Amino acid sequence: MSNKTASKKLLVTGGAGFIGSNFIHLTLAEEADWEVVCLDNLTYAGNLANLQECLDHPRFRFVKGDIGDPPKVQEILKGGIKVVVNFAAESHVDRSILGCQEFIRTNVQGTQVLLDGARESQVELFLQISTDEVYGSLGPEGKFTEQTPLAPNSPYSASKTAADLLVRAYHHTYQMPVIITRCSNNYGPYQFPEKLIPLFVTNLLADKKVPVYGDGLNVRDWIHVIDHCRAVWTVIEKGQAGQVYNIGGNNERTNLEITKMLLEILGKDESMLEYVTDRPGHDRRYAIDASKIETELGWRPQMDFMEGLRQTVQWYINNQSWWQAIKTGAYLKYYEQQYGIKF
Ligand code: NAD
Ligand code: TDX
């Protein structure tokens, strides 16, 4: 029997990717009064397999399309969408170093098209999913707050910053109800195996070495994807229009620490670790001060990192066909070219 009693409609862009698909799973499971429309043009990072169990759900509809396509966006938004959550993006720093045309097209122009559509159809909230990378890089001390000046260092983070500034300007100029969230590094199920944790797990499962950039001492602040998704729901329900909320796991780790934890979980030794040429312009340290969302909205991350990492590794062990289908030659060629790594 259909439970189609939902009265509110949410547009999730980029919902076939890593965080968007986790967000849709969570929403269908826990937010019974919301219908979800997912708009995704299925780039290399978008995978309908991530939404397999959702496709027949009575409160879900998938639309293949581009956030930069005005007629498509307008048509969807005019179907009664109340809230837009914009996850759609080109999201990988290394790819942006190789060439950033798609990053500008999707992350900047696509956001502009969505903003115009959302403004025209008078949505109640436009939520822009941004990143801690817009703040640039930290030295050994301090954390990013919402007041930290924007100083992006990679073409990816520059494109995300441009989008943030557009979103901010639409609030200031048109009083559009917008919110920006800036989250730290996510890990969990369905992450494309070009990012640190799934790349290393899938390499180790295939008995391949793991390429650590530079000295391996760059620091990231890791958060489980479900903690991020719950933070996004907290912001939808309680956030103030015009505000920025940082989201973080309060969990700083060097890449070397992460690598050693994965080696331990998978029972491999350090001979599997290979130091390779550093990423050009590699940001040294990210760390989020999430006290605003914690004190004002009452959100806190729940997942213990070691437990979350073990669960994530187990997910990749249980879903080998998912990642083996993805690990084709196309993106590996870039790694060979850029870092001289032979897979
Ligand atoms: P992802 O690369 O896994 O997924 C991106 C999704 O967007 C894919 O499904 C892709 O097909 C879709 N997409 C790309 N271009 C599109 C377009 N023009 N039209 C429609 N769909 C398009 O990314 P992710 O890791 O899930 O990140 C989601 C969002 O969260 C991004 O905006 C990213 O900047 C942000 N973010 C990610 C992290 C992280 O650690 N992964 C951390 C902070 C913020
Ligand atoms: O093979 C690798 N070896 C390595 O040492 C890869 C892929 C990464 N690294 C390092 C680079 C970074 O210091 O690991 C760290 C994490 O790298 P990524 O997984 O590529 O993430 P990062 O560059 O930190 O960006 C991520 O977090 C912020 C997401 O990809 C972004 O979308 C998000 O905005």
Side-chain angles (χ1 to χ4, degrees):
M1 210 182 81
S2 160
N3 63 346
K4 202 159 189 159
T5 53
S7 55
K8 298 183 275 187
K9 266 196 202 172
L10 185 68
L11 172 60
V12 177
T13 70
F18 164 48
I19 306 175
S21 61
N22 277 283
F23 181 77
I24 289 172
H25 286 286
L26 182 77
T27 301
L28 294 176
E30 296 188 0
E31 302 290 338
D33 49 352
W34 286 88
E35 277 177 53
V36 179
V37 180
C38 170
L39 174 66
D40 195 302
N41 68 345
L42 300 178
T43 67
Y44 79 94
N47 187 349
L48 265 188
N50 300 358
L51 295 170
Q52 198 56 51
E53 307 96 83
C54 309
L55 294 175
D56 293 329
H57 196 288
R59 286 187 284 113
F60 181 71
R61 183 161 72 96
F62 180 80
V63 180
K64 183 177 179 326
D66 198 311
I67 61 164
D69 176 353
K72 177 78 87 184
V73 164
Q74 283 159 17
E75 182 199 318
I76 294 171
L77 287 169
K78 283 185 179 143
I81 299 290
K82 286 207 183 332
V83 171
V84 176
V85 186
N86 184 24
F87 288 98
E90 287 296 329
S91 69
H92 193 40
V93 172
D94 287 312
R95 286 178 186 262
S96 80
I97 295 168
L98 190 64
C100 73
Q101 198 177 346
E102 277 305 297
F103 288 73
I104 303 303
R105 203 188 66 75
T106 288
N107 301 2
V108 187
Q109 291 171 354
T111 301
Q112 169 254 312
V113 170
L114 271 182
L115 279 166
D116 282 340
R119 182 173 163 240
E120 200 183 307
S121 61
Q122 299 186 313
V123 301
E124 289 175 11
L125 175 63
F126 184 100
L127 179 45
Q128 175 69 4
I129 304 296
S130 186
T131 167
D132 57 1
E133 299 199 17
V134 299
Y135 298 120
S137 183
L138 291 165
E141 303 297 328
K143 292 189 174 194
F144 298 132
T145 72
E146 289 82 358
Q147 277 73 47
T148 301
L150 302 178
N153 288 318
S154 72
Y156 160 71
S157 53
S159 70
K160 291 293 290 185
T161 308
D164 281 17
L165 293 177
L166 265 182
V167 172
R168 179 187 177 278
Y170 273 57
H171 177 71
H172 185 83
T173 308
Y174 308 117
Q175 293 77 53
M176 251 185 85
V178 307
I179 296 179
I180 297 170
T181 58
R182 297 189 178 133
C183 190
S184 60
N185 285 59
N186 286 221
Y187 71 97
Y190 300 108
Q191 187 167 28
F192 194 87
E194 65 185 348
K195 307 282 166 63
L196 180 77
I197 290 177
L199 177 72
F200 282 20
V201 172
T202 55
N203 272 16
L204 291 170
L205 287 174
D207 247 343
K208 290 178 180 166
K209 292 192 177 195
V210 294
V212 174
Y213 298 166
D215 61 7
L217 298 180
N218 301 66
V219 173
R220 298 292 183 264
D221 177 358
W222 294 92
I223 183 172
H224 192 274
V225 63
I226 292 300
D227 275 329
H228 180 191
C229 293
R230 288 194 198 284
V232 171
W233 265 108
T234 301
V235 168
I236 292 172
E237 282 162 354
K238 301 187 198 161
Q240 295 289 309
Q243 293 294 308
V244 174
Y245 296 95
N246 281 352
I247 301 168
N250 204 16
N251 179 42
E252 290 182 55
R253 309 276 172 172
T254 65
N255 295 335
L256 213 48
E257 273 179 86
I258 299 283
T259 308
K260 288 180 179 169
M261 288 170 101
L262 294 176
L263 290 171
E264 189 204 313
I265 292 171
L266 285 162
K268 304 277 181 181
D269 63 47
E270 291 193 18
S271 66
M272 298 304 282
L273 187 164
E274 185 176 23
Y275 289 97
V276 300
T277 316
D278 207 357
R279 172 185 279 173
H282 198 175
D283 283 337
R284 193 62 172 170
R285 175 172 166 257
Y286 305 146
I288 278 280
D289 176 343
S291 53
K292 179 174 173 180
I293 188 172
E294 291 180 0
T295 55
E296 292 184 14
L297 308 187
W299 169 88
R300 262 185 187 70
Q302 301 298 322
M303 181 64 88
D304 169 76
F305 184 59
M306 196 57 187
E307 173 57 22
L309 203 57
R310 282 190 195 282
Q311 285 182 17
T312 301
V313 170
Q314 194 57 49
W315 188 88
Y316 283 88
I317 292 172
N318 295 345
N319 291 276
Q320 304 224 9
S321 58
W322 179 87
W323 55 264
Q324 271 159 355
I326 293 169
K327 282 202 150 200
T328 57
Y331 82 92
L332 298 179
K333 278 203 178 70
Y334 163 61
Y335 283 87
E336 287 182 14
Q337 207 180 316
Q338 175 70 28
Y339 298 112
I341 304 160
K342 287 273 176 239
F343 287 89

